[in-house]
Amino acid sequence: MASTDPLVAQLIDAENPEQCGPPPATETLPGRLWAISDLHLSYKTNREELEKLQPRPNDGLILGGDIGETPEHLRLAFTKATSCFGQVFWCPGNHELYTMPTQKEHGLRGEKKYEECVEIAREFGVKTPEDDYTLWEGEGGPCLIAPIFTLYDYSFRPAHVKLENALEWAREENIEATDEHILHPDPHESRIDWCEALLARTEHKLSAAVAAQPDVKLIIVGHWPLREDLVKLFLVPRFSLWCGTKKTEDWHNRFNAKVVVSGHLHVRRTDWRDNTRFEECSLGYPRQWQECKDRGLDINDFLREILPGPELPPADQRSDTIWRRYT
């Protein structure tokens, strides 16, 4: 006679696993896509914050540049990110391209420095602007995730300021980017020339992606903002020179973008232009997010949900910026 005692039944099943049957099926939920940029791991506070990143193994993470200045910073970020997320995507910021003063005589410069960063990313399986775009089939998909590298050409300046006077115009307010001294354009003659070459390559790749899959939206992921009207630097407005190029202003429409992800500004915000959502998702320097830390927030609170993300607002609300001071 079979026992009706549940405990006895469990013991019998444990001794006779063939009677237990297959384990119940577990449903794998579609993953979400998140983004954060400007981790600036040269700061101890930010390195400690990175270690608080919580596992989301079914999700994807975009790292939008300015992780740090050294290969060690990249490896630190990629080690943690790939241990927590199923897919990781990266594009370079200006800080990854720096040849530090201590490396002046022997450090890699320009394109060679960028190539070193790409090779490090590939050690961890992290997707870069040099890889094929990835079809995201999690929540909010399908979308092509398109990391890009574009630099800047000093065109984010007032119309009355000529290019040859642009640096002088910024210096009038005691503003000059560190890039002018340690971001080298080798083998190009200037950062403007390097920017031009990058724009041509990127346009070709984005055009090919849209032509091949015209019904699939893109998630364009770059460090520098695509549009000048999204550059609002309230304390250092003339730093805009180093923030992008006017030649990308219509890329969100030309290349069928659902979302454009950027960093660089350290001014977190969400905007809509036409039917495209723009996300600036910087963490920034410790002093810039200390108030958030004082409120009990950590790095997980700064992850921006890219997909599925919020619904497209009504047309009369799309000019409203959502300022992300505490998120």
Side-chain angles (χ1 to χ4, degrees):
M1 180 174 177
S3 172
T4 59
D5 187 324
L7 178 59
V8 173
Q10 289 179 29
L11 292 172
I12 292 173
D13 285 343
E15 292 176 356
N16 300 279
E18 68 275 6
Q19 297 179 11
C20 298
T26 58
E27 181 182 0
T28 300
L29 299 175
R32 297 188 175 198
L33 181 65
W34 306 86
I36 192 169
S37 73
D38 297 76
L39 293 177
H40 291 290
L41 296 181
S42 58
Y43 291 89
K44 180 174 181 288
T45 298
N46 286 21
R47 294 195 298 274
E48 293 172 346
E49 199 63 26
L50 175 68
E51 291 306 309
K52 299 176 185 176
L53 197 63
Q54 296 174 355
R56 301 170 188 254
N58 200 41
D59 292 358
L61 179 66
I62 291 165
L63 296 171
D66 276 9
I67 287 174
E69 296 78 21
T70 69
E72 290 73 23
H73 293 151
L74 286 175
R75 289 192 173 96
L76 185 64
F78 294 154
T79 297
K80 186 63 176 179
T82 55
S83 72
C84 291
F85 289 83
Q87 293 179 286
V88 180
F89 307 86
W90 165 83
C91 62
N94 48 314
H95 281 247
E96 282 96 334
L97 306 175
Y98 284 172
T99 304
M100 303 305 288
T102 55
Q103 302 172 311
K104 183 176 180 181
E105 302 300 327
H106 57 83
L108 297 175
R109 295 164 61 104
E111 284 189 353
K112 293 297 184 183
K113 183 68 189 290
Y114 169 59
E115 290 168 3
E116 177 188 55
C117 295
V118 170
E119 289 306 311
I120 293 171
R122 287 175 171 169
E123 291 174 14
F124 294 86
V126 172
K127 297 297 184 182
T128 79
E130 302 307 307
D131 297 307
D132 293 338
Y133 297 153
T134 300
L135 183 65
W136 174 263
E137 296 186 278
E139 287 196 60
C143 290
L144 279 178
I145 304 179
I148 65 173
F149 172 28
T150 55
L151 270 176
Y152 49 83
D153 62 3
Y154 306 93
S155 59
F156 285 1
R157 63 182 194 274
H160 71 274
V161 177
K162 295 181 180 179
L163 175 59
E164 57 267 28
N165 299 326
L167 287 178
E168 180 183 353
W169 170 75
R171 289 168 182 154
E172 288 174 356
E173 298 292 334
N174 296 316
I175 295 170
E176 183 175 12
T178 305
D179 297 19
E180 294 299 315
H181 304 281
I182 58 175
L183 199 168
H184 305 288
D186 306 33
H188 304 277
E189 290 188 5
S190 68
R191 282 176 288 278
I192 292 176
D193 291 337
W194 194 5
C195 177
E196 290 286 347
L198 290 168
L199 290 174
R201 287 184 60 207
T202 306
E203 283 186 286
H204 177 77
K205 189 173 181 179
L206 290 169
S207 295
V210 173
Q213 301 189 67
D215 298 325
V216 177
K217 290 281 190 177
L218 267 64
I219 309 299
I220 298 178
V221 177
H223 181 67
W224 290 272
L226 293 190
R227 294 177 57 89
E228 186 179 15
D229 62 353
L230 300 180
V231 178
K232 303 296 183 185
L233 300 168
F234 301 104
L235 299 179
V236 286
R238 297 191 185 191
F239 191 80
S240 61
L241 284 185
W242 295 275
C243 292
T245 168
K246 292 181 178 180
K247 294 178 180 178
T248 59
E249 182 175 2
D250 65 345
W251 278 21
H252 65 294
N253 286 327
R254 285 178 57 195
F255 301 123
N256 199 23
K258 182 173 184 175
V259 188
V260 175
V261 179
S262 67
H264 191 59
L265 304 182
H266 299 193
V267 181
R268 294 181 292 276
R269 57 189 289 175
T270 300
D271 296 271
W272 283 266
R273 292 295 182 270
D274 306 311
N275 295 322
T276 301
R277 176 162 42 96
F278 288 76
E279 298 281 11
E280 206 283 358
C281 53
S282 301
L283 178 63
Y285 304 130
R287 68 180 184 275
Q288 295 172 324
W289 59 274
Q290 181 63 45
E291 188 178 1
C292 301
K293 188 175 182 180
D294 293 342
R295 289 169 173 256
L297 303 178
D298 66 21
I299 190 171
N300 299 286
D301 298 298
F302 291 106
L303 297 181
R304 188 74 50 80
E305 184 180 290
I306 304 304
L307 291 176
E311 295 292 329
L312 182 70
D316 62 351
Q317 298 177 21
R318 290 179 207 166
S319 61
D320 298 338
T321 295
I322 298 175
W323 300 102
R324 302 285 193 167
R325 184 174 180 180
Y326 300 117
T327 58

